[in-house]
Amino acid sequence: MNNHVRCLLMSLPMLLFALCGCSSPRSKFVLLSSPDGHVGNVTVANKTGEIHLAKPFESIDLFYPDERPSQPVIMTEAEFNSTFKDALAAQPTAPLTFLLYFEPGTSRLTPESEKILPVIIDYIRKVHSSDISISGHSDKVGSRDINIRISRERANEIANQLTRLGVAPESLEVASHGMELPLIDTPEGVPEPRNRRVELVVR
Amino acid sequence: MSHGLCFLLLLMVYNCSCVFAADSDAVGRVKIINGPVYILRGAEQSAAKIDMKIVRNDILLTGKQGSMGIVFNDNSTLSLGPDTKFQLASYEFNALEKKAGFVGQIRRGTMIYLSGLIARMNADATRFETPVAVAGVRGTKLAIKVEGGDNE
């Protein structure tokens, strides 16, 4: 009985420590490769130093805010998969971007791009997307104002076609950017078919 | 003194929540939900639903059996495992104004982030803060686990 009380008293500070969230907030960082195979890099830093992670599954484990980040270690794939099991399963599909191109100065799709529309519709249905953004763009032929109008007409044209093919209008977010965001940078007045486009992102 | 500090902090949180409640610009959307998942916006906590909008300063909470996935406007994605507390401290993505930045704070739990267009616009503008360190992410995928952090 006495022993039990003593034990309880002794563990009380530990318990309080744990309850108030003052226990050391251990943090583990793991670098992964992107789905396209690209591996960027991560810098993990605190007030005592910093370290770079540059290889897939390279990881660093820190227990205290003033612990100096030391040599990274490679986490095994099995350990990674069990540690991050639920976060892995909850990863959303990365959004898919489609590019549609237009005839010069018009909101008429090129014949090649016209063929892509059914593919886009199929994809929207497959992923049950209700979050689609449509951004109209132009090249740098003509004035800024004319290009704002043309890019808006292009975006609206695609929005109308999708709606006609059964996509709910409330799923669409339509924007126009004129000649301000070219994919290919050109001087003003230069025609560039790759900039006469609608970017359609299905999320 | 510590009460005074608490009050001050509460006041700050309260004031912030007013500012950000007005800022209803969606910067992302909830795409995947499993189990109990909540969004704390200012003082208001609501159960997260598919396609719900995320705004700056939202705190995302998952229960013991919960997990969630989010897609942001720049096409970056974030997923959270169970018993996680994550705050979107800052998010800027405006190609016309050339603004790009992502700051997340994970107080406990697990997360996986896959970078998107923000990283392409500014490679040094994405970071995640934990109680012990800050991770600067340059165009890649990163997983973080925080144990024994914020128990609120």
Side-chain angles (χ1 to χ4, degrees):
Chain A
M1 163 87 183
N2 248 348
N3 263 347
H4 279 158
V5 172
R6 193 180 301 152
C7 188
L8 201 71
L9 279 175
M10 274 172 66
S11 60
L12 205 60
M14 288 280 285
L15 202 67
L16 283 175
F17 202 56
L19 281 177
C20 76
C22 310
S23 53
S24 120
R26 173 183 181 183
S27 301
K28 189 188 271 293
F29 301 85
V30 193
L31 175 65
L32 306 163
S33 57
S34 304
D36 61 6
H38 171 79
V39 182
N41 69 78
V42 167
T43 306
V44 177
N46 60 21
K47 57 187 179 222
T48 60
E50 64 172 48
I51 197 164
H52 299 283
L53 306 179
K55 289 186 217 121
F57 293 110
E58 229 172 22
S59 72
I60 177 93
D61 217 350
L62 293 169
F63 288 79
Y64 306 100
D66 51 3
E67 180 183 346
R68 178 188 283 275
S70 58
Q71 199 62 25
V73 293
I74 301 283
M75 198 176 189
T76 66
E77 204 167 335
E79 190 190 351
F80 176 80
N81 288 341
S82 79
T83 307
F84 291 96
K85 179 171 58 104
D86 297 289
L88 276 169
Q91 289 181 100
T93 319
L96 201 58
T97 302
F98 296 93
L99 292 173
L100 294 160
Y101 300 102
F102 294 81
E103 303 288 358
T106 71
S107 57
R108 203 169 58 243
L109 279 170
T110 63
E112 294 78 23
S113 286
E114 205 140 1
K115 287 181 207 145
I116 296 175
L117 266 183
V119 177
I120 297 174
I121 296 289
D122 283 349
Y123 183 75
I124 291 170
R125 291 201 179 121
K126 196 180 97 192
V127 299
H128 304 289
S129 174
S130 55
D131 181 5
I132 298 152
S133 79
I134 296 172
S135 327
H137 300 269
S138 71
D139 63 12
K140 292 187 179 175
V141 175
S143 71
R144 211 163 228 113
D145 287 347
I146 285 173
N147 280 314
I148 287 173
R149 180 175 57 77
I150 293 174
S151 71
R152 192 191 313 128
E153 286 169 1
R154 285 173 179 160
N156 287 339
E157 170 64 18
I158 298 305
N160 289 339
Q161 293 220 31
L162 291 190
T163 313
R164 221 174 297 135
L165 291 164
V167 178
E170 58 270 22
S171 301
L172 305 177
E173 193 189 303
V174 183
S176 45
H177 301 289
M179 55 197 241
E180 306 303 322
L181 295 173
L183 273 187
I184 311 293
D185 207 9
T186 69
E188 290 198 9
V190 175
E192 174 50 69
R194 287 169 291 179
N195 289 337
R196 295 192 291 263
R197 72 201 192 276
V198 154
E199 291 187 15
L200 191 149
V201 183
V202 182
R203 296 194 180 91
Chain B
M1 181 195 155
S2 88
H3 275 121
L5 192 67
C6 268
F7 181 70
L8 198 69
L9 281 173
L10 271 176
L11 207 68
M12 281 167 65
V13 170
Y14 182 74
N15 281 338
C16 283
S17 71
C18 288
V19 172
F20 287 103
D23 183 4
S24 60
D25 287 1
V27 301
R29 286 190 196 223
V30 177
K31 289 294 169 192
I32 290 177
I33 282 180
N34 296 299
V37 179
Y38 306 93
I39 297 178
L40 183 59
R41 187 168 300 164
E44 239 172 84
Q45 182 168 317
S46 44
K49 292 183 184 71
I50 298 279
D51 274 332
M52 202 177 245
K53 290 173 179 172
I54 301 291
V55 304
R56 283 181 199 90
N57 257 49
D58 275 355
I59 295 177
L60 312 171
L61 297 160
T62 62
K64 295 257 183 281
Q65 314 284 324
S67 62
M68 75 191 300
I70 291 157
V71 176
F72 291 98
N73 290 355
D74 73 311
N75 297 345
S76 60
T77 66
L78 174 76
S79 64
L80 305 177
D83 198 19
T84 297
K85 183 175 182 181
F86 178 96
Q87 181 163 26
L88 183 64
S90 162
Y91 186 95
E92 293 285 349
F93 176 57
N94 188 323
L96 285 176
E97 293 172 23
K98 301 207 181 340
K99 280 189 188 166
F102 189 119
V103 181
Q105 295 168 341
I106 176 164
R107 277 76 176 269
R108 63 165 189 268
T110 50
M111 57 153 273
I112 298 175
Y113 177 77
L114 173 61
S115 60
L117 297 174
I118 286 175
R120 271 196 252 163
M121 282 170 67
N122 183 351
D124 294 311
T126 303
R127 65 173 197 271
F128 292 92
E129 303 172 354
T130 83
V132 302
V134 177
V137 184
R138 259 165 251 100
T140 193
K141 199 171 173 182
L142 172 74
I144 301 178
K145 179 177 188 180
V146 176
E147 264 176 296
D150 190 341
N151 282 323
E152 285 166 47

